[in-house]
Amino acid sequence: MASSTLELSGLNFNLTEEQQAVREAARDFARTELLPGVIERDNAAKFPTEQVRRMGELGFLGMMVSPDYGGGGMDTVSYVIAMEEISKVDASCSVIMSVNNSLVCWGLEEFGSEQQKQKYLTRLATGEVIGAFCLSEPEAGSDATSQHTTALDKGDHYLLNGTKNWITNGGSASVYLVIAQTDLEKKHRGINCLIVEKGQDGFAVGKKEDKMGIRASDTHSLMFTDVKVPKENRIGDDGFGFKFAMSTLNGGRIGIAAQALGIAAGAYERALTYSQERQAFGKKIFDHQAIQFKLAEMATKIEAARLLVYKAARLKDEHNDFVQAAAMAKLFASEVAMWATTEAVQIHGGYGYVKEYHVERFMRDAKITQIYEGTSEIQKLVIARELVK
């Protein structure tokens, strides 16, 4: 189903040997090392410590980072290929991978100082440590300009105060990129991004969220009380934080679109296999037209989602404007993921409602792709703005 040739905007896009090798490596890793225990980790909401360590060893946590900083030096297309394959099996692991690659490593490499790259990026890219991206707050989700976390300028350092919510890798990260308001009068132009390390005085990790899906991932609230952050830990010029966050999220949406694609494809593949094994009314349920129509529509929508994801990745690699393409990919792929996983449960019937058959987990995991890194409604706003540029 995953074609190695894509027609994008009049361009014939053939996957390179390296990209094909990435797909095979990610698929093998997912099936041999992520699949065993995936249901148990979901049930217990257990962070996949050993699996994340292996992702680092295999190069999945710093795929796009330059080899100069310990990364794989790969393109975005390779990254989304790996994200899809890993998400077909374990979306909790893929969101950890997505945040570290798309939001933390990419943001640091693109906008960080050389000192910041040497100190933090080299360890993040190899998986020695993992990172977290801290934007959302109790009253600042989709409205990212309403930052209540403050970073008061104290001369040689900032004094950080506030609370962040829904932070992926919140308890397991060692490096945190924190978006905070320095100058309220300047509104979004008075926002900065600061690098905070675990263990700093005044920094506390709140309770782990008991989530519907991606349960093995580590989602926490974070509290900052008079945390002293040195000026050299600010990314970019004073007031660059909002632009940093938006630029980083634009790329992050491609990763989440690839995650949604993988969740949908994983559910589809299990439903297709089940339909050829399950018997009803004297024949395989696949031989019933009602099931054939469901699977045909699933296959078509998933392939369409894949084209959108690959297009956005390709545009990013070519340094073209990918904002609209990323928003379209995330919007469509996440909608397909929610719909396709529900259909996969329906095809499984009663068996789809129990955890042993995996598809109910895919359905629970799919929902978050319509919410984080920009809700579906926000994606529509982004797309609409781009239409009239």
Side-chain angles (χ1 to χ4, degrees):
M1 187 179 155
S3 174
S4 62
T5 303
L6 299 174
E7 192 73 22
L8 299 180
S9 301
L11 298 176
N12 187 41
F13 177 31
N14 297 296
L15 296 189
T16 65
E17 289 185 10
E18 182 183 57
Q19 290 163 351
Q20 297 272 26
V22 166
R23 172 178 285 159
E24 292 170 11
R27 182 179 295 162
D28 180 68
F29 169 70
R31 291 176 178 176
T32 60
E33 300 193 44
L34 296 185
L35 183 58
V38 66
I39 293 174
E40 291 75 17
R41 292 193 299 273
D42 176 75
N43 286 340
K46 180 183 177 183
F47 186 79
T49 303
E50 177 60 22
Q51 290 75 18
V52 172
R53 183 187 67 79
R54 285 288 293 142
M55 284 198 292
E57 290 177 351
L58 294 169
F60 290 127
L61 295 181
M63 293 184 68
M64 297 175 287
V65 175
S66 166
D68 294 341
Y69 303 108
M74 297 182 191
D75 57 14
T76 313
V77 173
S78 295
Y79 165 58
V80 299
I81 288 169
M83 275 292 298
E84 178 185 352
E85 292 300 329
I86 288 172
S87 301
K88 285 180 181 179
V89 174
D90 189 346
S92 292
C93 281
S94 70
V95 72
I96 296 164
M97 173 181 166
S98 178
V99 167
N100 206 69
N101 276 281
S102 296
L103 301 183
V104 180
C105 285
W106 186 85
L108 270 172
E109 184 168 25
E110 188 74 9
F111 301 110
S113 68
E114 185 61 28
Q115 179 188 9
Q116 290 166 352
K117 293 174 189 178
Q118 293 293 344
K119 185 175 181 180
Y120 299 110
L121 183 58
T122 51
R123 297 163 64 214
L124 288 160
T126 60
E128 178 186 341
V129 298
I130 59 174
F133 183 81
C134 310
L135 175 65
S136 294
E137 297 184 357
E139 296 183 24
S142 295
D143 183 7
T145 61
S146 299
Q147 294 294 308
H148 290 253
T149 298
T150 59
L152 299 183
D153 192 335
K154 295 296 183 178
D156 65 342
H157 68 275
Y158 291 99
L159 205 60
L160 185 65
N161 284 278
T163 300
K164 294 294 182 179
N165 273 18
W166 321 119
I167 305 304
T168 301
N169 301 340
S172 51
S174 298
V175 178
Y176 300 78
L177 306 188
V178 183
I179 310 299
Q181 188 84 47
T182 296
D183 189 334
L184 189 58
E185 290 185 359
K186 293 182 180 179
K187 299 181 180 179
H188 71 278
R189 292 184 177 86
I191 293 173
N192 282 308
C193 178
L194 307 178
I195 304 171
V196 179
E197 298 180 39
K198 177 176 278 186
Q200 288 189 234
D201 291 342
F203 176 22
V205 177
K207 72 178 181 68
K208 183 175 181 177
E209 300 293 348
D210 187 9
K211 307 188 298 292
M212 176 174 76
I214 55 168
R215 288 177 51 78
S217 68
D218 197 21
T219 308
H220 289 259
S221 293
L222 307 176
M223 284 76 73
F224 304 94
T225 306
D226 291 339
V227 178
K228 291 178 68 174
V229 183
K231 280 282 181 73
E232 59 262 30
N233 278 28
R234 185 188 71 209
I235 297 178
D237 295 331
D238 185 34
F240 181 67
F242 182 74
K243 186 175 180 181
F244 170 85
M246 294 301 101
S247 297
T248 304
L249 283 172
N250 283 332
R253 286 168 184 152
I254 301 175
I256 298 305
Q259 181 190 42
L261 169 62
I263 292 169
Y268 160 78
E269 289 174 5
R270 287 193 174 272
L272 179 62
T273 298
Y274 180 81
S275 74
Q276 295 171 310
E277 296 170 347
R278 174 71 169 170
Q279 298 273 337
F281 301 101
K283 56 184 178 181
K284 296 174 183 177
I285 64 169
F286 180 81
D287 293 329
H288 293 282
Q289 191 178 68
I291 301 300
Q292 290 177 350
F293 280 10
K294 285 182 182 295
L295 289 164
E297 192 172 359
M298 288 167 75
T300 301
K301 289 184 177 179
I302 289 167
E303 190 64 18
R306 183 175 289 114
L307 289 166
L308 283 171
V309 172
Y310 280 46
K311 177 182 179 181
R314 177 68 179 269
L315 288 171
K316 184 171 182 286
D317 286 335
E318 293 176 340
H319 305 288
N320 289 319
D321 186 349
F322 62 89
V323 172
Q324 184 185 76
M328 285 181 170
K330 184 183 182 295
L331 172 64
F332 188 75
S334 64
E335 301 293 316
V336 168
M338 195 69 251
W339 171 82
T341 54
T342 304
E343 288 290 82
V345 171
Q346 192 71 16
I347 289 169
H348 279 74
Y351 289 105
Y353 207 67
V354 297
K355 296 190 175 185
E356 179 185 353
Y357 285 77
H358 296 275
V359 289
E360 63 83 29
R361 174 171 49 84
F362 284 128
M363 187 175 77
R364 288 186 287 109
D365 289 346
K367 185 58 194 174
I368 193 61
T369 67
Q370 296 177 307
I371 298 172
Y372 60 14
E373 296 196 31
T375 64
S376 291
E377 291 74 19
I378 290 295
Q379 302 315 308
K380 291 174 184 178
L381 289 175
V382 171
I383 293 164
R385 284 200 299 264
E386 292 295 311
L387 294 177
V388 294
K389 262 191 176 181

